[in-house]
Amino acid sequence: MKNTPFSPQITQWLAHSKKALQNTNSFSNEEVQTIQAEIEKREALAIELQSANSSKNAAAFEGSYNIIGLNQDEGQGRYFGFLHISKVSEIRVNAEWVINGEQVQQGSGFYHGDTLIINFSYEGEEENAGKTYKGVVVYKLINDSILTGFWSEKHGNDEFLGFEEGRKLKASETIWEQAKMN
């Protein structure tokens, strides 16, 4: 294996991902362990990609991702979850997020080159029930396994952007594969 440094994009992706492990006082031990395990997978993927010939194929956006994100607020609250992107035409996609195991968000958008833009929405919960939140996320495909993005939503703090880092799941990690095994 080559002993070369990570590309600047992968270095930034890892750094943003690791921010999820800062100030985890409000997380359960199980949540911290889940995030730590995901960070280890991301570090292993970065090492694997050092010696791989990975392409930037826009069609490669399609699939399921483990995501780690920072919210659009001063505290940069952390979240984690899953994102599934499905191609619906040559340039159009649909997306669905499951955040922290409970909140579902949906969106649609398009891609050009290595950039994916998705308009998303979700329904508010608890005291915000009945309120629809809308926003836009812009992802860049670093390679066939990694995407990095930033986002903003209408009711977010305009002084900040949210950030999201994704690692494409291997087929064996998806719920569909797990369901087949049972």
Side-chain angles (χ1 to χ4, degrees):
M1 178 184 307
K2 291 191 238 176
N3 191 13
T4 58
F6 300 139
S7 75
Q9 293 172 323
I10 291 177
T11 299
Q12 181 180 15
W13 175 76
L14 278 172
H16 283 173
S17 297
K18 289 178 181 179
K19 284 183 181 180
L21 288 173
Q22 296 172 352
N23 301 323
T24 56
N25 301 354
S26 64
F27 290 174
S28 70
N29 286 339
E30 183 179 341
E31 289 171 319
V32 171
Q33 289 172 353
T34 298
I35 295 170
Q36 286 173 331
E38 178 59 24
I39 296 298
E40 289 172 10
K41 288 179 182 178
R42 289 171 185 232
E43 289 171 336
L45 176 62
I47 291 168
E48 178 183 319
L49 291 172
Q50 281 182 302
S51 60
N53 256 343
S54 188
S55 65
K56 289 183 184 178
N57 176 358
F61 273 119
E62 193 167 31
S64 295
Y65 295 81
N66 186 302
I67 56 170
I68 295 175
L70 301 173
N71 283 320
Q72 181 188 349
D73 57 30
E74 187 173 3
Q76 295 265 272
R78 285 110 182 118
Y79 63 87
F80 52 95
F82 297 94
L83 163 64
H84 182 76
I85 300 171
S86 55
K87 185 176 167 185
V88 293
S89 76
E90 286 307 307
I91 64 166
R92 300 278 176 196
V93 298
N94 286 335
E96 184 172 70
W97 294 260
V98 178
I99 306 296
N100 294 334
E102 55 191 38
Q103 183 186 77
V104 176
Q105 300 181 10
Q106 296 184 340
S108 62
F110 60 94
Y111 60 86
H112 178 74
D114 62 359
T115 304
L116 175 63
I117 300 169
I118 301 173
N119 293 303
F120 65 88
S121 66
Y122 62 96
E123 296 300 317
E125 302 165 336
E126 298 171 7
E127 70 272 1
N128 295 313
K131 190 174 188 179
T132 300
Y133 291 84
K134 296 180 179 181
V136 64
V137 60
V138 178
Y139 291 114
K140 180 175 176 96
L141 186 66
I142 294 176
N143 57 43
D144 289 351
S145 301
I146 296 174
L147 57 79
T148 184
F150 59 93
W151 57 270
S152 180
E153 66 181 42
K154 182 178 178 180
H155 300 290
N157 185 331
D158 288 340
E159 299 294 318
F160 300 93
L161 288 173
F163 294 92
E164 196 164 279
E165 311 300 331
R167 176 186 63 85
K168 188 177 254 183
L169 298 174
K170 296 176 181 173
S172 62
E173 294 179 287
T174 66
I175 192 167
W176 307 114
E177 188 64 27
Q178 297 298 319
K180 285 188 224 173
M181 295 172 65
N182 290 326

